[in-house]
Structure formats: structure tokens, C-alpha cells
């Protein structure tokens, strides 16, 4: 996600917990004032770029550290988070899609983005066209 321009859409799904209910929240830089859009782009870039290296996860490779999809998370009441980032640099360029799955404790570098997403609008549950 080089540069500050472009559209970023971020969706955070939290599942698990004691009740096992999933909650999805998301933000789109196109719907935000420019100053907030710049912040969202920067936080999303940090979330998917590994420390000290190129953004190799943009192609879909799993991040290092923490459980990845398919691994069993110990503790029945733990939350599991799935962070999806879609980045479109320009209308005539292909976009990038990154997915990062993790559980508690939340990786430190994701704290600011998760704090922002906790106040983001709720989204319909995965697989549903509209909320009921």
C-alpha cells in the first residue's frame, strides 16, 4: 500500500467469546473526511505490512505470529479477529486484498486500528445481503 492516495476499505470481524456471536464493523476511506481517511490508510498499511519488510501479505500470505485460520485457539471464551483490508490505488489499477486473523492478546501494532474500528458502523453478518 504505497503512497497515501487511494481507497481503503477495512472490515473487522470479531467472533468467539462466551456467547459465540460474530460482530462485523467496517470503514471506507471514501466515506470519511480527508484527515480521517489519511489516518485510516496509514493504520491499515501498518496492519498488513510485516515489520521491517515489504508488504508480502497483500497477495494473501498469512502473517507471522498468532494463530492463523484453521488453528485451534485455546480458551472457549476467547475472541478471534479477522481483519480484511482492500486497497484500490486508482480506478485503472488493480487493487490489493489482505486478510489477517489473530486472537487475544491482540498484536500491539493493531491496537490503534482496532480502537478506530470499535466505533465504526456495524455491518451485516457475513453471507447476508442486508440486516434483518
Amino acid at each position: 500500500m504505497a503512497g497515501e492516495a487511494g481507497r481503503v476499505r477495512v472490515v473487522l470481524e470479531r467472533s468467539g467469546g462466551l456467547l459465540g456471536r460474530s460482530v462485523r464493523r467496517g470503514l471506507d476511506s471514501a466515506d470519511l473526511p480527508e484527515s480521517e481517511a489519511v489516518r485510516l490508510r496509514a493504520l491499515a498499511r501498518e496492519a498488513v505490512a510485516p515489520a521491517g519488510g515489504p508488504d508480502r501479505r497483500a497477495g494473501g500470505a498469512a502473517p507471522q505470529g498468532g494463530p492463523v485460520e484453521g488453528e485451534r485457539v485455546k480458551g472457549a471464551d476467547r475472541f478471534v479477529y479477522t481483519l480484511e483490508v482492500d486497497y484500490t490505488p486508482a480506478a485503472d489499477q488493480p487493487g490489493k486484498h489482505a486478510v489477517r486473523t489473530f486472537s487475544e492478546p491482540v498484536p500491539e501494532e493493531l491496537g490503534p486500528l482496532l480502537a478506530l474500528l470499535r466505533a465504526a458502523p456495524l455491518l451485516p453478518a457475513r453471507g447476508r445481503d442486508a440486516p434483518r
Side-chain angles (χ1 to χ4, degrees):
M1 282 193 245
E4 289 297 317
R7 181 178 186 181
V8 174
R9 284 177 279 187
V10 181
V11 174
L12 177 69
E13 182 171 6
R14 185 191 76 193
S15 59
L18 193 57
L19 299 176
R21 253 187 214 151
S22 292
V23 175
R24 293 180 78 225
R25 295 183 180 272
L27 289 172
D28 188 331
S29 63
D31 297 334
L32 299 173
E34 186 56 29
S35 62
E36 292 177 32
V38 168
R39 182 170 184 242
L40 178 63
R41 285 190 288 265
L43 291 174
R45 185 175 49 254
E46 290 174 24
V48 297
D55 183 1
R56 71 183 197 291
R57 271 177 264 164
Q64 298 297 314
V68 294
E69 229 171 288
E71 284 187 20
R72 185 177 174 96
V73 178
K74 295 181 180 168
D77 59 349
R78 283 212 167 162
F79 288 119
V80 175
Y81 300 88
T82 301
L83 181 68
E84 293 183 51
V85 178
D86 288 306
Y87 174 70
T88 307
D92 61 339
Q93 296 178 349
K96 294 181 180 182
H97 179 78
V99 177
R100 186 167 180 185
T101 303
F102 53 94
S103 64
E104 295 174 326
V106 172
E108 189 175 311
E109 71 273 12
L110 298 179
L113 180 58
L114 267 58
L116 185 64
L117 287 166
R118 283 187 187 108
L122 286 169
L123 299 174
R126 184 178 297 282
R128 293 188 183 155
D129 292 335
R132 295 182 183 197

